[in-house]
């Protein structure tokens, strides 16, 4: 006869274990529950191809693309955003450069609008501090805004949802072709084939990937700026309060999955070697290399370094920019500050691939030479470009024209309505 008590069932076991642990004064991680909304029947996994018809398609949900999509949606355009990764924000979130600069110059704010709204709300929700833009810093980085990258990503999703933007993660275009009233864009993700019919495309891929797919000219230097793998060892990272450590990845190339893979593997190997050498705990590691430079479009207008450093006010300026000329090389970086009072501007023509229609870009892939691009590529400037591109594309879709032919006064009007600062009017 067996006098041993029967073993508790699985539920009772966990209940006893939890009570015992709680009684010992140990903290337990709690679980919450949410339910994913059911997929519409017309988009079930049995369908060979999911079909969408929209006014504006934004490709790339990084720094510029997120703002472009929110702006297009707020302006009344039916908008879809396709992003190859798992979240919005790009360099801000996946890359970990969660200190976007710069929104101010010479004692006043020069870039505002939707990008600033999102950054400001991220800081406020995190209980952080915003810099005093009325105070001119001795060094440009002293007015950087520290943001919590995790909050930024989910706040961006919330703003997309409220603007009616449909998000498609883990997908990327495989082909784009001209149709009667715009574009047919075929995208692929795992388990997903999607055909999107749209009136306008905003390419925010960082390397003008859609522009290249369509056969328009692009340019890039043979020797490009290094990427950065961001990490923290030794002490816990405090998001929204500090920068993380940076490791240069020379030869980093974001133009295809193979070269991105190599950049990531190279960066991670170097971080691992550093952890072993310093014998400290690895506390933070970004999932992807942050890339500074890739392909840029050949546009209707090129921004040169002389345009940038002189603060040229272009006739078709749609956004301000502000940052030192900031070229990173194998010997490091020596920023070249702009002269007092200088505020560069970004022309609409620099966002339009030469000879194209119904196509616009935003972000670091704008038409510019390498030195000008080293200042233009930073996040605040890309946000300003993204908002302007969202306005131009939405107005073009609504009026049956192309972004370059939308009256500049109309673009400025809508930008003002959505909180942006118009060049020359700050």
């Amino acid at each position: 006869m067996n006098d041993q008590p029967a073993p508790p069932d699985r539920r009772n076991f966990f209940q006893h274990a939890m009570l015992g642990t709680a009684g010992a004064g140990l903290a337990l991680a709690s679980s919450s529950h949410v339910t994913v909304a059911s997929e519409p029947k017309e988009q079930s996994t049995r369908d060979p191809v999911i079909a969408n018809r929209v006014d504006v398609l934004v490709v790339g949900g990084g720094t510029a693309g997120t703002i472009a999509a929110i702006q297009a949606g707020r302006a009344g355009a039916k908008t879809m955003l396709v992003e190859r990764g798992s979240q919005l924000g790009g360099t801000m979130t996946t890359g970990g450069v969660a200190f976007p600069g710069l929104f101010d110059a010479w004692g006043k704010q020069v870039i505002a609008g939707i990008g600033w709204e999102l950054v400001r709300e991220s800081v406020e929700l995190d209980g952080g501090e915003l810099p005093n833009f009325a105070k001119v810093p001795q060094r440009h980085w002293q007015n950087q805004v520290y943001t919590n990258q995790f909050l930024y990503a989910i706040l961006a999703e919330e703003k997309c949802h409220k603007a009616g933007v449909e998000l498609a993660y883990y997908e990327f275009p495989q082909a784009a072709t001209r149709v009667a009233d715009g574009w047919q864009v075929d995208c692929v993700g795992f388990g997903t084939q999607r055909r999107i019919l749209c009136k306008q495309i905003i390419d925010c891929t960082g390397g003008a990937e859609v522009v290249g797919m369509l056969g328009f000219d692009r340019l890039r230097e043979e020797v490009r700026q290094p990427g950065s793998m961001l990490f923290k060892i030794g002490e816990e990272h405090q998001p929204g309060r500090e920068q993380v450590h940076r490791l240069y990845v020379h030869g980093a190339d974001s133009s295809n999955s193979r070269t991105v893979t190599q950049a990531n593997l190279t960066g991670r190997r170097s971080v691992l070697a550093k952890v072993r050498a310093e014998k400290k705990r690895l506390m933070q590691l970004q999932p992807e290399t942050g890339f500074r430079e890739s392909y840029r479009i050949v546009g209707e207008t090129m921004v040169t370094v002389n345009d940038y450093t002189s603060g040229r006010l272009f006739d078709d300026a749609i956004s301000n920019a502000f940052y030192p000329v900031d070229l990173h090389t194998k010997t490091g970086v020596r920023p070249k500050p702009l002269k007092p009072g200088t505020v560069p501007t970004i022309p609409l023509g620099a966002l339009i691939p030469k000879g194209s229609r119904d196509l616009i870009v935003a972000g670091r892939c704008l038409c510019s030479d390498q030195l000008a691009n080293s200042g233009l590529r930073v996040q605040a400037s890309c946000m300003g470009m993204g908002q302007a591109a969202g306005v131009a594309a939405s107005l073009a879709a609504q009026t049956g024209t192309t972004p370059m032919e939308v009256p500049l006064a109309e673009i400025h009007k809508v930008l003002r309505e959505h909180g942006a600062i118009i060049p020359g009017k700050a």
Side-chain angles (χ1 to χ4, degrees):
M1 183 175 180
N2 186 356
D3 294 326
Q4 298 297 319
D9 63 27
R10 193 166 186 267
R11 179 180 297 177
N12 286 338
F13 173 81
F14 280 115
Q15 287 176 342
H16 286 302
M18 290 173 69
L19 286 171
T21 306
L26 299 178
L28 288 170
S30 61
S31 297
S32 298
H33 300 268
V34 295
T35 302
V36 177
S38 299
E39 189 175 45
K41 287 184 179 179
E42 65 270 18
Q43 292 186 2
S44 73
T45 54
R46 291 190 298 274
D47 294 333
V49 179
I50 296 170
N52 296 91
R53 184 180 290 274
V54 298
D55 298 317
V56 175
L57 171 64
V58 180
V59 183
T63 308
T66 298
I67 307 307
I70 295 169
Q71 175 61 85
R74 288 183 180 180
K78 187 174 182 181
T79 305
M80 185 165 201
L81 192 162
V82 173
E83 162 56 39
R84 69 175 175 86
S86 62
Q87 63 180 354
L88 300 176
T91 299
M92 285 275 293
T93 56
T94 306
V97 188
F99 30 96
L102 290 166
F103 293 92
D104 69 301
W106 316 118
K108 62 183 179 181
Q109 189 163 359
V110 295
I111 301 173
I114 295 171
W116 174 245
E117 171 193 318
L118 181 53
V119 168
R120 177 177 48 78
E121 290 183 18
S122 297
V123 173
E124 290 172 349
L125 185 58
D126 196 43
E129 294 184 4
L130 294 168
N132 179 7
F133 289 158
K135 193 174 180 181
V136 180
Q138 291 185 334
R139 297 177 181 272
H140 72 277
W141 51 263
Q142 291 172 324
N143 267 6
Q144 290 277 18
V145 184
Y146 289 87
T147 59
N148 184 320
Q149 65 189 59
F150 310 108
L151 274 177
Y152 184 93
I154 55 180
L155 279 172
E157 287 184 342
E158 180 183 63
K159 289 186 183 296
C160 282
H161 175 72
K162 289 182 177 179
V165 177
E166 184 172 353
L167 298 176
Y169 289 134
Y170 306 112
E171 297 181 29
F172 199 79
Q174 299 299 295
T177 53
R178 246 335 189 162
V179 293
D181 57 348
W183 301 100
Q184 174 183 299
V185 182
D186 292 317
C187 300
V188 174
F190 58 89
T192 304
Q193 297 179 63
R194 186 186 302 274
R195 173 160 291 173
I196 304 168
L197 296 175
C198 61
K199 297 176 182 177
Q200 302 289 330
I201 296 175
I202 308 178
D203 184 343
C204 297
T205 57
E209 303 301 333
V210 178
V211 171
M213 187 182 298
L214 291 169
F216 293 102
D217 290 337
R218 298 181 296 170
L219 56 90
R220 69 172 181 172
E221 272 61 37
E222 197 141 326
V223 178
R224 294 170 300 281
Q225 297 181 77
S228 286
M229 180 64 76
L230 272 59
F231 66 101
K232 184 76 179 288
I233 62 174
E235 297 177 354
E236 183 179 357
H237 174 49
Q238 299 293 323
R241 301 293 184 273
E242 62 180 4
Q243 294 190 29
V244 286
H245 300 142
R246 179 182 68 200
L247 187 148
Y248 275 147
V249 182
H250 294 284
D253 182 354
S254 63
S255 60
N256 61 68
S257 60
R258 303 180 305 280
T259 54
V260 170
T261 297
Q262 287 305 312
N264 290 340
L265 291 174
T266 301
R268 291 172 192 149
R269 279 196 297 266
S270 297
V271 171
L272 182 57
K274 197 171 186 66
V275 170
R276 284 174 170 152
E278 297 190 15
K279 295 182 171 56
K280 294 178 181 178
R281 294 186 66 205
L282 177 62
M283 306 300 291
Q284 177 84 8
L285 178 66
Q286 293 304 127
E288 189 170 291
T289 304
F291 296 92
R292 289 184 176 84
E293 189 178 317
S294 184
Y295 284 102
R296 308 185 298 281
I297 67 168
V298 174
E300 296 292 344
T301 304
M302 173 175 277
V303 182
T304 68
V305 69
N306 289 334
D307 295 329
Y308 188 79
T309 57
S310 67
R312 177 181 174 184
L313 179 59
F314 286 92
D315 292 339
D316 60 341
I318 40 78
S319 182
N320 291 316
F322 187 71
Y323 209 75
V325 173
D326 192 55
L327 193 70
H328 294 244
T329 68
K330 285 191 174 181
T331 59
V333 58
R334 291 183 180 177
K336 295 181 180 178
L338 299 174
K339 293 180 180 178
T342 301
V343 179
T345 66
I346 299 167
L348 179 64
L351 307 184
I352 308 295
K354 195 171 185 62
S356 71
R357 291 188 62 83
D358 307 325
L359 178 64
I360 189 170
V361 308
R364 69 172 186 256
C365 60
L366 84 160
C367 185
S368 52
D369 66 27
Q370 188 182 35
L371 284 174
N373 194 263
S374 73
L376 289 165
R377 65 178 172 78
V378 298
Q379 289 118 308
S381 301
C382 289
M383 290 173 181
M385 286 183 239
Q387 185 163 357
V391 169
S394 60
L395 289 174
Q398 291 161 9
T399 58
T401 186
T402 191
M404 196 68 180
E405 295 174 3
V406 175
L408 188 65
E410 287 298 307
I411 295 175
H412 284 178
K413 178 176 178 289
V414 177
L415 284 171
R416 283 193 194 94
E417 290 171 354
H418 292 268
I421 294 172
I422 306 304
K425 306 293 183 183

